[in-house]
Structures are given as C-alpha cells and as structure tokens.
Amino acid sequence: MTKIEDVSIIEIPRVHDERGLLAVIEDTTIPFKIERVYYLYDVPSDAFRGGHAHKKLWQLIIPLSGSFDVHIKDGQNEQTINLNKPHKGLLIVSGIWREIDNFSSGCVCLVLASSVYNESDYIRDYNAFLAFKKS
Ligand code: TYD
C-alpha cells in the first residue's frame, strides 16, 4: 500500500534565457502516461478542493500561477506541502487522501492525470478510505 513517502516533488526541466523561462514536460519527466489534463482557476481563496483519494489514478499537480496547500494522508501519517513554484509539481500516487486549500489570488492549478475521468476510481468518504487502506 502506498504511503505519503511515495508522494514526491518532481522538478520540471526549464530552459532559461533573457526572454524568460520555458518549462517542458515530456514522457520521461513523469512516471506515468498522461491521459488527461485539467486545471483549476478562479478559485476563491477560502475554497476547499479535493477531499478524496484515488484507487488507481496518479496525478502531477503543478501551481502554474500562485500557490496553495496540499494536505496528504495515507491513513497513518499526514503532511502539508505548499506548492508555489511553476516548475515544481507534486506527484501523488494512488491510495493517498488529498485536500487542497489556501489558494492565492489568481492561482492556476494544473493537474496531469494518468487516466481519463472515472468516478468509480474515487474514494470520497474518509472512513471508506481508511477501510480501503486496511484491505
Ligand atoms: P472533483 O474531483 O470533486 O474536484 P476537486 O478534486 O478539484 O475538488 O470534481 C468536481 C466536479 O467536476 C465533479 O462533479 C466531477 C467533475 N469532473 C469531471 O467531470 N472531469 C474531471 O476530469 C474532473 C477532475 C472532475
């Protein structure tokens, strides 16, 4: 079963010159095949997102602009990570509970996902998540 130690920051390679920075994600940058991309924007600063885990899905969460906090739990341990650099993404493997809050004004949160949207992959109840981790 996955643990919060399996969650990691992935540094996205950048090309820097006097015109600015260019960050590149290729198939070798992340350990899954991207099947879906979505993004959150116009998020109220007091919004609470996530509040679920995935049975199989892996995600890379990137603060394209601004910052927010990601709280992760594996049923035993928990950690909060503030994402605030557009070249540092958080790789969340399957079986990890996540909650996202403390969105900065104008924040854009990009998510790369390992599969298309599938509601049956979600665990949205925390007690069901704890039971899933024990099973
Ligand atoms: P949800 O997963 O609850 O968002 P978050 O984790 O950011 O809080 O999704 C919100 C709604 O959007 C829910 O009705 C499902 C729908 N949705 C899609 O239709 N496709 C998607 O790819 C995603 C991520 C969500």
Side-chain angles (χ1 to χ4, degrees):
M1 254 312 164
T2 52
K3 296 182 179 301
I4 60 168
E5 291 80 13
D6 300 315
V7 174
S8 59
I9 295 284
I10 289 193
E11 181 132 357
I12 299 161
R14 291 176 295 170
V15 182
H16 187 191
D17 65 26
E18 63 284 356
R19 299 168 299 168
L21 282 151
L22 184 157
V24 192
I25 299 171
E26 295 182 322
D27 57 355
T28 51
T29 315
I30 55 176
F32 60 81
K33 185 172 174 299
I34 300 165
E35 288 200 358
R36 177 170 47 123
V37 175
Y38 65 93
Y39 45 94
L40 307 175
Y41 66 102
D42 276 355
V43 183
S45 60
D46 60 353
F48 171 88
R49 308 238 28 155
H52 57 71
H54 287 280
K55 296 174 193 165
K56 292 194 174 146
L57 186 85
W58 288 37
Q59 290 181 322
L60 185 71
I61 301 181
I62 303 169
L64 273 196
S65 179
S67 65
F68 47 85
D69 289 338
V70 185
H71 311 276
I72 53 168
K73 300 180 184 180
D74 62 12
Q76 292 191 316
N77 295 303
E78 54 187 84
Q79 190 182 347
T80 296
I81 300 131
N82 179 253
L83 291 182
N84 57 21
K85 294 192 171 59
H87 68 286
K88 289 193 179 184
L90 186 68
L91 175 70
I92 304 188
V93 298
S94 57
I96 300 290
W97 188 266
R98 87 289 311 273
E99 295 162 1
I100 310 177
D101 63 9
N102 195 23
F103 291 90
S104 69
S105 163
C107 160
V108 180
C109 169
L110 180 73
V111 183
L112 311 181
S114 65
S115 78
V116 295
Y117 175 71
N118 175 9
E119 186 60 34
S120 68
D121 188 66
Y122 279 76
I123 305 169
R124 294 190 183 271
D125 177 80
Y126 191 68
N127 286 327
F129 169 69
L130 294 177
F132 173 78
K133 294 302 277 184
K134 285 186 183 136
S135 66

